[in-house]
Amino acid sequence: MKIPFDMQYDIGELLRETPKNATEFSKGIQFLKEQSQQSTEIEKARLLSTLGVYQRINGDLDASLKSLTEAKELISTDNLERLQPINDLRIAQTFQFMRRFEESEQQYLKLTNQIKSDKKLKDLLDFVYQHHGKLLFEQGKLPEAIICFEKALSLREYKNEQTLIDSTLYALEVAKTKLR
């Protein structure tokens, strides 16, 4: 579904997203809320998962966790295999932003094991490494963060997706600069 509002964001030196246009971003969030109320359960799960991401970026962490948790419940009832780890990754990010680092860490480790053991999900592993690295970065665990970013970079170079490669190179640069 196309959101008719500007949902672009920048990633700053703290490796967190910030909306480029706060007003448009808020309108997009409201749009997703309304769409989720008028959707089938499967589409509602997808919309709520996306909504949770945008709410996190916008700083509304309680609403983010609520949307992601509701999406998780719908996913488990409809057995949406691929959306489940994506939504769990989003929950881990929200835990991180809430400073619930231990829960976030547990979520990333669980996801890493799950994805490594399921060939259909292997293309998601770079995202887990990237965001796990951001969690470690935020906690000041820079050597460990750099290792995660390097793993993500290796997988992203294999995928040959320049936007993802650039994102990881930026995270690596910020982490290495801070380490010095």
Side-chain angles (χ1 to χ4, degrees):
M1 163 178 295
K2 175 105 172 83
I3 302 170
F5 299 97
D6 181 3
M7 302 305 283
Q8 294 181 56
Y9 53 84
D10 291 314
I11 298 179
E13 290 193 10
L14 296 177
L15 302 181
R16 287 190 174 204
E17 307 98 331
T18 54
K20 284 187 176 185
N21 182 326
T23 302
E24 285 283 302
F25 213 83
S26 293
K27 288 178 182 178
I29 288 171
Q30 186 58 39
F31 174 80
L32 284 171
K33 284 181 189 176
E34 291 166 5
Q35 293 301 306
S36 71
Q37 294 168 357
Q38 306 166 15
S39 300
T40 64
E41 286 205 0
I42 291 172
E43 187 58 26
K44 184 174 185 174
R46 288 185 176 99
L47 288 168
L48 286 169
S49 186
T50 300
L51 176 62
V53 171
Y54 290 135
Q55 289 168 319
R56 174 183 51 78
I57 292 170
N58 212 36
D60 194 350
L61 303 179
D62 290 331
S64 171
L65 189 56
K66 182 178 184 224
S67 294
L68 293 166
T69 301
E70 189 177 341
K72 184 177 179 106
E73 291 167 7
L74 291 170
I75 291 165
S76 65
T77 60
D78 279 320
N79 196 20
L80 298 169
E81 269 179 47
R82 188 155 177 82
L83 185 55
Q84 178 269 318
I86 292 169
N87 195 71
D88 285 348
L89 175 67
R90 292 169 173 174
I91 290 172
Q93 290 173 284
T94 297
F95 282 153
Q96 174 189 339
F97 277 49
M98 296 175 99
R99 304 191 63 75
R100 292 167 59 176
F101 296 138
E102 189 173 311
E103 290 167 280
S104 182
E105 177 76 20
Q106 290 171 359
Q107 194 82 343
Y108 285 122
L109 295 175
K110 179 184 130 208
L111 279 166
T112 300
N113 291 332
Q114 176 188 359
I115 290 169
K116 282 182 173 181
S117 67
D118 187 340
K119 290 181 182 177
K120 295 179 286 186
L121 301 174
K122 291 241 189 246
D123 65 313
L124 299 175
L125 190 56
D126 62 308
F127 290 98
V128 175
Y129 285 139
Q130 176 83 0
H131 293 288
H132 190 189
K134 288 181 179 184
L135 168 69
L136 295 166
F137 173 87
E138 188 163 323
Q139 295 177 88
K141 299 176 180 178
L142 300 176
E144 295 95 331
I146 290 169
I147 289 168
C148 282
F149 293 142
E150 287 172 343
K151 288 178 181 180
L153 181 61
S154 175
L155 293 169
R156 288 176 170 190
E157 287 173 337
Y158 180 76
K159 282 182 174 181
N160 197 26
E161 292 187 31
Q162 196 58 48
T163 303
L164 297 177
I165 292 167
D166 290 345
S167 172
T168 304
L169 286 172
Y170 177 73
L172 265 169
E173 177 186 322
V174 170
K176 286 179 179 180
T177 299
K178 191 166 183 168
L179 186 61
R180 290 185 210 127

